[in-house]
Amino acid sequence: MWFIFPIIFRLHSSSAFSLYFLSLESGKQRKKMRTAMLRSIRASVQRSSRSYSSESAPARKVAVLGAAGGIGQPLALLMKLNPLVSSLSLYDIAGTPGVAADVSHINTRSEVVGYMGEENLGKALEGADVVIIPAGVPRKPGMTRDDLFNINAGIVKGLCTAIAKYCPHALVNMISNPVNSTVPIASEVFKKAGTYDEKRLFGVTTLDVVRAKTFYAGKAKVPVAGVNVPVVGGHAGVTILPLFSQATPQANGLSDEEIVALTKRTQDGGTEVVEAKAGKGSATLSMAYAGAIFADACLKGLNGVPDVIECSFVQSNITELPFFASKVRLGKNGVEEVLGLGSLSDFEKQGLEALMPELKSSIEKGIKFANQ
């Protein structure tokens, strides 16, 4: 833009001076805007981990298994931005060196190493504090639950066998679907290896919570940043039960019909994305975000931050089922406390009763697969 000023001077010197100073002022404003934007981005990245600076936070290694996939790549990026992570280990059967090289150029605390191929899985896992598992195939149009299960269950079983050997004390965050079955598979693999600790195995159901918050905020016309909605049950279809009666802030103006519609949309959120992508993908970006949120909560718990509470699918005795998603208090040992369901509306009580048979079947299917 600077080349225009000689011309303006020849046309009208007083106008030129005015435009010159306006341009300077505009440049200052743009600089201020850029500075403010950078500060905002950095603040948003570090907000959930504000209890520690990178210098004071303990060294923590996070391993992402399936890091070259549709969920794994954005998840790797988000974990690289987390100041609580000092070592980021990225593993997949192919493509990992490129992902690791790309992410490693980001100027944040963690050192990044990529590992490719089953022969390097042990190295990827050694010393890990948190292991996140998004490995597996995504759900595609026309794919049955059995199709998805048969592929991903085998992948999860193999990865968990390695976790039991190389980092038996790590917190394991299971993203691979169907979570209602893959978490029980992992538990059985760990039991066989003699390393099972129910406090350290989590099914990541955070995406259900993220969706419930977003949909509720939109319908209730409240700022989404201040919304909280617990989601209980499982992580598939009817087993997903958002407790909108416990949502905060409470929107008294929502009708029963609107609550039913919000519940249905939360349950069908994955299908909504699959259909919108026209068979070319599933919920990868929002799932990566949800996975990063839950991993951050686990890291804060490990580091001693008090009152870290998230919903997760864990071993539980709050129902007759061995696994159930509910609010969980996280701490230095993983699960510090599995919190109860609280007061339910009549509609939620019906939903709870309806989800139990399907969730029970999915859990039993996972246990049976692991013991074959």
Side-chain angles (χ1 to χ4, degrees), residues 225-240:
V227 169
N228 192 27
V229 182
V231 181
V232 303
H235 185 55
V238 71
T239 69
I240 300 168

Side-chain angles (χ1 to χ4, degrees), residues 48-366:
S48 63
S49 302
R50 60 184 177 271
S51 299
Y52 292 92
S53 68
S54 60
E55 290 79 13
S56 63
R60 295 294 182 191
K61 177 177 177 178
V62 173
V64 180
L65 308 186
I71 298 171
Q73 290 198 41
L75 179 58
L77 168 63
L78 292 171
M79 297 315 298
K80 181 70 172 83
L81 297 177
N82 190 317
L84 300 184
V85 181
S86 59
S87 174
L88 183 59
S89 176
L90 305 180
Y91 169 82
D92 214 321
I93 57 173
T96 336
V99 177
D102 196 356
V103 172
S104 71
H105 292 180
I106 296 170
N107 59 322
T108 55
R109 178 192 185 197
S110 54
E111 297 291 330
V112 182
V113 181
Y115 299 92
M116 185 173 69
E118 292 183 15
E119 67 277 10
N120 291 310
L121 178 55
K123 294 178 183 177
L125 291 171
E126 286 176 347
D129 297 288
V130 177
V131 178
I132 314 171
I133 310 179
V137 300
R139 187 158 60 100
K140 300 176 182 178
M143 179 180 283
T144 67
R145 293 184 182 182
D146 284 341
D147 293 335
L148 185 67
F149 175 85
N150 290 332
I151 297 171
N152 288 352
I155 294 171
V156 166
K157 189 175 182 179
L159 294 175
C160 289
T161 299
I163 291 170
K165 181 177 180 180
Y166 294 103
C167 56
H169 302 298
L171 303 190
V172 178
N173 295 0
M174 185 68 68
I175 292 175
S176 303
N177 276 317
V179 167
N180 294 352
S181 298
T182 53
V183 169
I185 289 171
S187 71
E188 293 300 306
V189 170
F190 296 150
K191 286 175 184 176
K192 286 183 180 180
T195 63
Y196 182 55
D197 182 349
E198 68 272 15
K199 295 181 178 181
R200 295 179 177 270
L201 175 61
F202 304 88
V204 179
T205 61
T206 313
L207 182 52
D208 302 325
V209 177
V210 166
R211 286 172 173 154
K213 289 179 178 181
T214 301
F215 302 156
Y216 176 86
K219 185 64 67 173
K221 293 180 172 55
V222 296
V224 70
V227 169
N228 192 27
V229 182
V231 181
V232 303
H235 185 55
V238 71
T239 69
I240 300 168
L241 182 60
L243 303 182
F244 289 114
S245 69
Q246 298 179 22
T248 55
Q250 190 58 237
N252 297 321
L254 295 182
S255 66
D256 292 344
E257 291 74 18
E258 287 174 317
I259 294 297
V260 171
L262 283 172
T263 300
K264 179 68 173 171
R265 190 181 180 196
T266 303
Q267 292 173 337
D268 294 341
T271 301
E272 182 179 316
V273 175
V274 169
E275 291 178 349
K277 290 188 175 181
K280 296 181 180 179
S282 59
T284 52
L285 302 177
S286 54
M287 184 64 250
Y289 168 76
I293 290 291
F294 189 75
D296 180 71
C298 288
L299 288 167
K300 287 192 288 187
L302 286 174
N303 290 347
V305 176
D307 296 321
V308 179
I309 297 176
E310 294 286 343
C311 291
S312 182
F313 186 67
V314 297
Q315 182 172 314
S316 171
N317 59 10
I318 64 173
T319 71
E320 65 267 27
L321 299 181
F323 295 92
F324 200 82
S326 67
K327 290 192 290 186
V328 172
R329 178 175 285 106
L330 300 169
K332 293 184 176 182
N333 297 306
V335 176
E336 295 294 336
E337 182 182 6
V338 178
L339 304 177
L341 298 178
S343 177
L344 305 182
S345 68
D346 290 340
F347 173 69
E348 291 161 356
K349 289 176 182 176
Q350 294 171 6
L352 179 61
E353 184 177 352
L355 72 82
M356 297 296 278
E358 181 167 333
L359 184 53
K360 179 182 180 183
S361 176
S362 297
I363 293 170
E364 291 175 345
K365 187 174 184 178

Side-chain angles (χ1 to χ4, degrees), residues 36-47 81 83 107-108:
M37 185 164 35
L38 288 170
R39 286 174 180 169
S40 176
I41 292 169
R42 184 171 294 276
S44 64
V45 167
Q46 295 182 345
R47 188 177 294 121
L81 297 177
N107 59 322
T108 55

